[in-house]
Amino acid sequence: MRRVPRIVVLVVTLAAALAAATPAGSANECEGLQVCVPIAGPWVSVPAAGGAARPEVAWQLTCPRNFIVGGLDAELTHRAIDVSFLGMLGSPVNPGITTSRSVTFVATYVGTSSTSPSFKPYVGCMPARGGGSRVPTSVSVFPPGQPVTRRSKTVRVRPGAATVNLECRSGERLVGASHAFGFFMRTPPSASLVSSVSGSRTVRGGKVVVSVRGDAEVGGVRAVIQVQAVCSRSR
């Protein structure tokens, strides 16, 4: 009977030590979280095209198993980069309701002067405790749900040509696709480095196919491409 209090004290002590030992992220993604695992993405290249219809890029970061996204942040090379994330509808706005284990950042360059804009995404991961749900109030009206799932595949870009394929899982339909290039570096990539990689995306038989090419310059850095497939089970 005397061992029970000791075990409780030990568990509390270990939990406190874990919280104290959790390293802070490079940005503010862990601010306000008692227990946090920081995840940093690469520098993601954002197209600098002008005009009224600006292209956007998407990049997905994923927390370790049994963790959910509790905080987000980003570093920008230019103030004219508009960055947001895709969250679920629900109340209250909260981890586990608005966010899940993975989160997708979406960025668009809205300026006129930058030649190689990029952003670096960060997420702070907290232990998963479950989220809320909403109940329909009518048989003909539905609450917002999750009709699509974003599947992603990230691979290394090396000098030469390569092909990256990604498809939805069994029972899912492909309803959208995107790809983006990232550079794992301490400083933002130069315009020359950004232009050293290129990709052409097509959809063949329900599969996303991206033809990738890297110049010799990309051989000296860790460059990656992330391909995303937007998949749906809805009928």
Side-chain angles (χ1 to χ4, degrees):
M1 295 296 293
R2 295 180 180 178
R3 294 181 181 179
V4 175
R6 294 180 182 178
I7 294 175
V8 173
V9 172
L10 178 60
V11 171
V12 173
T13 303
L14 287 175
L18 176 61
T22 302
S26 300
N28 296 316
E29 73 276 17
C30 284
E31 186 173 346
L33 301 179
Q34 292 184 344
V35 179
C36 180
V37 177
I39 302 292
W43 286 100
V44 181
S45 176
V46 182
R54 301 295 180 98
E56 67 178 24
V57 294
W59 196 271
Q60 186 178 86
L61 292 181
T62 301
C63 290
R65 190 176 300 275
N66 297 323
F67 281 77
I68 58 175
V69 176
L72 305 98
D73 204 356
E75 293 180 310
L76 316 178
T77 60
H78 199 284
R79 292 183 181 275
I81 299 176
D82 180 39
V83 181
S84 59
F85 75 96
L86 303 180
M88 293 290 295
L89 296 179
S91 180
V93 176
N94 216 21
I97 297 178
T98 312
T99 63
S100 58
R101 184 185 173 195
S102 297
V103 66
T104 298
F105 291 79
V106 179
T108 305
Y109 177 68
V110 297
T112 59
S113 60
S114 183
T115 57
S116 57
S118 60
F119 77 99
K120 188 173 186 177
Y122 296 85
V123 296
C125 303
M126 60 181 288
R129 298 185 179 90
S133 61
R134 300 177 64 179
V135 180
T137 57
S138 170
V139 295
S140 59
V141 178
F142 301 92
Q146 192 173 1
V148 298
T149 300
R150 288 180 176 264
R151 309 292 181 191
S152 65
K153 184 177 184 180
T154 305
V155 299
R156 181 79 177 267
V157 178
R158 303 181 186 277
T163 301
V164 182
N165 299 314
L166 179 63
E167 58 186 325
C168 296
R169 296 180 181 177
S170 177
E172 298 178 339
R173 293 176 295 107
L174 180 67
V175 296
S178 67
H179 71 274
F181 291 98
F183 303 86
F184 284 97
M185 308 168 60
R186 297 187 63 180
T187 58
S190 64
S192 174
L193 182 57
V194 170
S195 63
S196 70
V197 295
S198 61
S200 176
R201 184 178 69 252
T202 59
V203 175
R204 304 173 188 169
K207 180 185 299 184
V208 185
V209 181
V210 181
S211 299
V212 185
R213 179 170 293 277
D215 295 342
E217 185 177 1
V218 80
V221 300
R222 185 187 171 196
V224 295
I225 180 174
Q226 184 177 94
V227 179
Q228 290 194 16
V230 184
C231 307
S232 174
R233 290 182 178 270
S234 300
R235 298 296 179 184

